[in-house]
Amino acid sequence: SSLIVKKHNGEFVGKLAPYGYIKDPKDKHKFLIDKNVSHIIRKIFDMILDGKSRREVADFLNQNDILTPSEYLKINTNKDVTVMKKWNPEMVNSILRNENYTGTLFQGKKRKLNYRVNKKINIDKDNWIVTKNHHEPIISKEKFDKVQDILNRQAKVNKDGSIDILSGFLKCKCCNN
């Protein structure tokens, strides 16, 4: 219950700051932008806005020998973590979907069922603990929302297996195709 109170007071109670941030040495409940990797976060968002897929972004990061979040964490904190050597679309997607990059802190997304069971359940978005202006944003809210619109577009596959050139951009008012 004390952790929930801290979360409601706007204090970050996790072990690690999100990739692109470091914990503030003066206040461990706040984040500072990590200048060493924040440009990577911006590049990932910009590439999606330029029309690249998550796979193309992951390939670009791998070709340019950019450390994955787990590799970077292991090198800089000496923590014993499972290291992913290559970027993949799921890693890129988790960065693109992380709204903490807009400067707002989201906590309480999952909760343990009870003290006996170690299983966590997802909490409805309405019940998340949100602290606006918690830290300096890496990505503007507008840019984040544009990327979410792009990621949420669903390309419809035609009966012959092809994808229409306007799929995901236009929708028929009558038949929803």
Side-chain angles (χ1 to χ4, degrees), residues 130-142:
V130 179
T131 307
K132 295 196 181 290
N133 300 318
H134 175 264
H135 50 274
E136 187 180 345
I138 294 176
I139 301 297
S140 70
K141 180 73 171 131
E142 294 77 24

Side-chain angles (χ1 to χ4, degrees), residues 11 17 46 49 80 89 92 94 110 129 133 146 164 171 176:
E11 298 178 18
D46 289 342
L49 289 173
D80 188 28
V92 171
S94 70
K110 293 179 185 245
I129 301 168
N133 300 318
K146 283 180 189 175
D164 192 276
K171 193 178 222 179
N176 286 333

Side-chain angles (χ1 to χ4, degrees), residues 75-137:
I75 289 170
N76 290 303
T77 62
N78 294 322
K79 293 201 184 278
D80 188 28
V81 293
T82 304
V83 174
M84 298 287 292
K85 296 276 186 191
K86 296 280 183 190
W87 285 88
N88 61 47
E90 290 79 26
M91 294 165 82
V92 171
N93 191 55
S94 70
I95 287 172
L96 293 169
R97 297 289 187 179
N98 190 344
E99 202 166 348
N100 286 316
Y101 293 122
T102 63
T104 301
L105 178 64
F106 290 86
Q107 299 185 98
K109 294 180 178 182
K110 293 179 185 245
R111 189 176 325 163
K112 274 188 174 183
L113 278 173
N114 60 42
Y115 69 94
R116 293 183 196 171
V117 181
N118 206 17
K119 184 178 180 185
K120 291 187 177 187
I121 56 170
N122 292 326
I123 303 299
D124 292 335
K125 194 170 185 172
D126 299 337
N127 296 324
W128 290 358
I129 301 168
V130 179
T131 307
K132 295 196 181 290
N133 300 318
H134 175 264
H135 50 274
E136 187 180 345

Side-chain angles (χ1 to χ4, degrees), residues 5-177:
V5 170
K6 284 185 174 199
K7 289 178 185 178
H8 281 288
N9 289 337
E11 298 178 18
F12 176 71
V13 296
K15 289 184 212 172
L16 303 169
Y19 180 68
Y21 288 103
I22 56 173
K23 282 187 172 183
D24 188 342
K26 295 175 189 159
D27 181 1
K28 66 181 181 178
H29 302 294
K30 298 283 184 186
F31 301 149
L32 296 175
I33 291 178
D34 186 346
K35 303 286 186 212
N36 297 323
V37 293
S38 60
H39 66 281
I40 297 167
I41 304 294
R42 289 185 194 98
K43 180 71 174 169
I44 290 171
F45 276 83
D46 289 342
M47 287 180 75
I48 295 296
L49 289 173
D50 290 340
K52 303 288 186 212
S53 70
R54 287 166 269 206
R55 165 67 58 202
E56 290 172 313
V57 173
D59 291 344
F60 170 83
L61 296 169
N62 287 326
Q63 289 165 4
N64 289 289
D65 297 322
I66 306 292
L67 293 176
T68 63
S70 58
E71 283 180 303
Y72 185 76
L73 177 67
K74 186 167 183 98
I75 289 170
N76 290 303
T77 62
N78 294 322
K79 293 201 184 278
D80 188 28
V81 293
T82 304
V83 174
M84 298 287 292
K85 296 276 186 191
K86 296 280 183 190
W87 285 88
N88 61 47
E90 290 79 26
M91 294 165 82
V92 171
N93 191 55
S94 70
I95 287 172
L96 293 169
R97 297 289 187 179
N98 190 344
E99 202 166 348
N100 286 316
Y101 293 122
T102 63
T104 301
L105 178 64
F106 290 86
Q107 299 185 98
K109 294 180 178 182
K110 293 179 185 245
R111 189 176 325 163
K112 274 188 174 183
L113 278 173
N114 60 42
Y115 69 94
R116 293 183 196 171
V117 181
N118 206 17
K119 184 178 180 185
K120 291 187 177 187
I121 56 170
N122 292 326
I123 303 299
D124 292 335
K125 194 170 185 172
D126 299 337
N127 296 324
W128 290 358
I129 301 168
V130 179
T131 307
K132 295 196 181 290
N133 300 318
H134 175 264
H135 50 274
E136 187 180 345
I138 294 176
I139 301 297
S140 70
K141 180 73 171 131
E142 294 77 24
K143 185 182 274 192
F144 181 85
D145 290 341
K146 283 180 189 175
V147 168
Q148 299 315 300
D149 289 342
I150 291 169
L151 296 177
N152 291 333
R153 281 191 212 134
Q154 300 237 336
K156 302 270 185 185
V157 179
N158 296 327
K159 291 177 183 174
D160 63 355
S162 66
I163 296 176
D164 192 276
I165 193 168
L166 296 175
S167 184
F169 292 98
L170 298 176
K171 193 178 222 179
C172 176
K173 189 174 181 180
C174 300
C175 67
N176 286 333
N177 284 331

